[in-house]
Amino acid sequence: MGKKKIGLIGGGQIGGNLALLCVQKQLGDAVLFDIPQAEGLVKGKALDINQLSAVDGYDCRVTGTTDWKQVAGSDVVIITAGVPRKPGMSREDLLEVNLKIMKDVAANIRTHCPDAFVINVANPLDAMVYALHRITGFKKSQVVGMAGVLDTSRFKCFVADALGCSIRDVEALVLGGHGDDMVPLIRLASVGGVPLTKLLPKEKIDAIVKRTREGGAELVALYKTGSAYFAPAATSIAMAESYLLDRKRVLPCAALLEGEYGIKGCFMGVPVQIGAGGVEKVYELDLSPEERAELEKSFQSVKKTVDSVKL
Ligand code: APR
């Protein structure tokens, strides 16, 4: 069996880190694709990463290219092509420019990678993955958006720091759209099996929820020229890995809902099982009336953006 091929569309900050992780985790050979103006950037990153392989003896390679033919036949495609936020911008402000890019990218994926498992990372996340699915016409199991794993990682990180405990023992789940009204499920958060509500006072938990919701903006304000890239790359790779190794991990991802959680025809963050079959299952939770109301609010925000997607 040959090595797996991972197409990385967009060779910017997240794209470069994705390529590095593909090699370091030996997931497969990565093809880092970008527009002709960025040819030097992707060829440079590929060369730089390949030279690092000697240190630990990695056998996977990165190719930098501006030619879709080299991306053809990828097992997994991860899309980060698009413009990141600048301070003061919302993710929705990116819709017009990133949708234009998505139209081009999705059409090429349909042509060149018809069997790939496709993970979208570009923002506004839930609307972009909706556009990707519509343009490609791929099965719903084949198309997914990365956001919930990142939002959940941020939440876990803040909890572990607040308690001074290992992040490994923090269990949490963030549902909903990748926007300011995402839904961290406090009731289900726990540390080593102990409910979070027993471990931290309400004000502390509320502050963690707020910081999680504004987690992307916090990094945009610090970086000033773009948005987060290390954690978004790592969380996307967790999804790709679950598919490639058939791990069947249950991860919060933007998946097409067809009645689950009372939502139809929209992509939004819910727990899904990712294995060799792609999105194999959507897990449904019994939500309290308050949680349901919060999810509905998040859905209405996603829907508003999706309604302005003109294909
Ligand atoms: N095809 C391929 N690549 C493209 C295209 C296109 N049509 N248009 C733009 N790109 C490339 C850019 O040239 C750039 O190298 O996408 C890359 C984006 O990289 P960065 O600007 O560094 O952005 P990054 O931080 O990686 O974020 C990318 O992910 O998290 C989201 O909001 C973020 O939408 C943004 C995306």
Side-chain angles (χ1 to χ4, degrees), residues 136-147:
T136 55
F138 284 179
K139 294 178 293 207
K140 66 171 183 175
S141 57
Q142 226 181 319
V143 178
V144 74
M146 189 296 293

Side-chain angles (χ1 to χ4, degrees), residues 177-200:
H178 187 46
D180 296 344
D181 41 23
M182 63 182 76
V183 188
L185 289 179
I186 306 308
R187 187 175 53 93
L188 301 182
S190 62
V191 181
V194 182
L196 183 62
T197 47
K198 291 242 175 258
L199 299 170
L200 286 176

Side-chain angles (χ1 to χ4, degrees), residues 3 5 13 43 50 102 113 156 191 268 298-299:
K3 270 185 278 182
K5 180 169 174 178
Q13 296 284 32
K43 292 211 151 127
N50 289 339
M102 180 55 87
C113 309
K156 287 182 178 178
V191 181
M268 212 171 68
S298 181
F299 167 61

